[in-house]
Amino acid sequence: MNNITYINNKFVKHSNAKISVEDRGFLFADSIYELIGVFNKEIIDTDQHLNRLDLSLKKVKIKYRFNKEKFKKIITKLIKLNNIFNGYIYIQITRGVAERKHEFPKKYKPTTIIFTKHLNIDKKIYEKGVKIITIPDLRWLRRDIKTTSLLPNVLSKQLAIEKNAFESWLIDNGNITEGSVSNAWIIKSSNTIITHPANNKILKGVTRDTVIKILKKNNFNIKERSFNLIEAKNAKEAFLTSSTLSVLPVVKIDNYNVSNGKPGDITKKIMYLYNNYIVKNKNSLAKELKIAWLNQ
């Protein structure tokens, strides 16, 4: 089946969605994007994602008539047209087509692309946890902008795959910042949880923010501060978060087992709390994942 994609005010077959070879998003990665999880045909944290999209546009100075309600209508229509049950919405906005010069064109018309994808989750990774490796963080210093300049992320993720790991955690000046496609967390004690502060060195994840709110509501002690590799390897437990992965246990860092190499009880509780949040938002991620510990 040929899915439908939205491009520049038109709904077209995905295979027919094209951009110019002179689009600045293609030539310079002069563009920003947003990825929103969809579970049981419901969009998760819609407003937070669209607010971040608008903020990214402002940070890279793309002049754009941003209309949140219009975006909501478009993505809702795409979910229906493409019959997305579990999947994601991808939004990209570029500075548009212009002569290849580094400076901004005086006049331009931004390119808007929105498409959907079905998401197949390997349920076993939630039950077993995943291994991550650590490597130097070689990215630029405006990681807070959700730009499509993702080559360092691509290379770090690929290195993890080549080393039979799920994800890479990146180290900047001795401290772990985040993963190539996720935010990084460690659990220091029964109720103290640490994640890197939301500054220019990480992308402030929407799921990250939601998890922080949930944890604070449930009397966890959240510390947004830097932590190094030694602290991570000696943590009681560890996990990662993202819009498509939700909360995922980390059980091995490089070749060092965390939480005896199994998802810990605190991480399981956090997964349960987040999944309850999803269920309350009228979708059934918890049921779809069928995680064994939910019924314990």
Side-chain angles (χ1 to χ4, degrees):
M1 183 176 69
N2 199 331
N3 281 350
I4 302 300
T5 287
Y6 176 91
I7 182 167
N8 294 335
N9 296 315
K10 294 181 180 179
F11 291 89
V12 302
K13 289 184 178 180
H14 189 71
S15 58
N16 293 336
K18 312 292 184 183
I19 64 167
S20 168
V21 294
E22 289 192 300
D23 192 289
R24 287 177 64 91
F26 172 69
L27 295 175
F28 295 114
D30 186 5
S31 59
I32 54 91
Y33 77 102
E34 196 64 42
L35 190 147
I36 310 173
V38 179
F39 300 103
N40 195 17
K41 297 188 178 182
E42 295 289 337
I43 310 163
I44 306 305
D45 292 330
T46 317
D47 286 320
Q48 295 93 313
H49 280 285
L50 293 179
N51 288 342
R52 188 172 63 178
L53 180 71
D54 189 28
L55 184 60
S56 293
L57 286 167
K58 290 179 171 65
K59 286 181 176 180
V60 299
K61 300 179 180 180
I62 292 179
K63 296 178 182 179
Y64 193 89
R65 293 181 179 178
F66 183 78
N67 185 317
K68 186 189 292 187
E69 295 309 312
K70 179 180 178 181
F71 271 87
K72 286 181 179 180
K73 290 178 181 178
I74 294 168
I75 59 183
T76 300
K77 183 174 180 178
L78 285 175
I79 290 170
K80 184 176 181 180
L81 286 172
N82 297 327
N83 195 29
I84 302 297
F85 190 81
N86 289 334
Y88 63 82
I89 299 280
Y90 178 85
I91 304 170
Q92 182 173 337
I93 301 173
T94 84
R95 206 176 303 274
V97 178
E99 184 179 356
R100 192 189 181 281
K101 294 181 179 179
H102 282 70
E103 65 268 29
F104 297 169
K106 292 181 179 179
K107 294 182 180 180
Y108 59 88
K109 184 178 180 181
T111 297
T112 303
I113 303 165
I114 308 175
F115 63 79
T116 65
K117 288 292 180 180
H118 295 279
L119 182 64
N120 296 315
I121 299 174
D122 180 0
K123 303 173 184 64
K124 291 181 180 179
I125 62 176
Y126 294 91
E127 299 171 1
K128 295 182 177 179
V130 297
K131 173 186 175 181
I132 61 100
I133 61 170
T134 58
I135 61 175
D137 196 338
L138 301 178
R139 301 170 300 162
W140 72 324
L141 293 178
R142 290 307 309 273
R143 303 160 195 164
D144 54 305
I145 304 174
K146 201 166 176 66
T147 172
T148 56
S149 301
L150 292 173
L151 184 56
N153 301 66
V154 169
L155 294 175
S156 64
K157 180 70 173 183
Q158 179 60 29
L159 183 60
I161 299 303
E162 291 172 2
K163 291 185 176 294
N164 296 315
F166 184 84
E167 170 71 306
S168 292
W169 279 5
L170 310 174
I171 299 178
D172 182 353
N173 196 29
N175 292 315
I176 293 172
T177 51
E178 59 186 340
S180 63
V181 296
S182 61
N183 286 118
W185 306 68
I186 60 171
I187 300 175
K188 193 76 172 177
S189 62
S190 59
N191 74 331
T192 299
I193 300 173
I194 304 168
T195 192
H196 195 283
N199 54 25
N200 66 299
K201 291 192 173 183
I202 72 163
L203 178 68
K204 187 181 180 184
V206 168
T207 304
R208 171 192 179 277
D209 284 357
T210 296
V211 168
I212 287 175
K213 292 176 184 176
I214 293 170
L215 293 177
K216 286 182 177 179
K217 187 177 180 180
N218 285 273
N219 300 316
F220 283 91
N221 179 24
I222 306 301
K223 293 189 176 181
E224 295 183 65
R225 67 165 176 82
S226 300
F227 60 91
N228 58 34
L229 180 56
I230 294 175
E231 193 171 7
K233 287 183 176 180
N234 287 290
K236 186 179 181 69
E237 299 176 31
F239 63 94
L240 59 83
T241 58
S242 79
S243 292
T244 54
L245 294 168
S246 303
V247 179
L248 181 61
V250 170
V251 297
K252 181 174 283 191
I253 300 176
D254 295 327
N255 292 316
Y256 191 92
N257 283 338
V258 178
S259 183
N260 296 319
K262 298 179 181 179
D265 291 337
I266 304 168
T267 302
K268 290 178 182 179
K269 182 177 181 179
I270 295 168
M271 294 167 72
Y272 179 78
L273 291 171
Y274 183 76
N275 285 337
N276 274 350
Y277 166 81
I278 298 297
V279 171
K280 288 178 181 178
N281 281 271
K282 298 182 180 180
N283 63 74
S284 56
L285 175 60
K287 292 180 181 178
E288 286 300 311
L289 292 177
K290 297 179 182 177
I291 301 173
W293 52 262
L294 284 175
N295 297 317
Q296 292 180 353

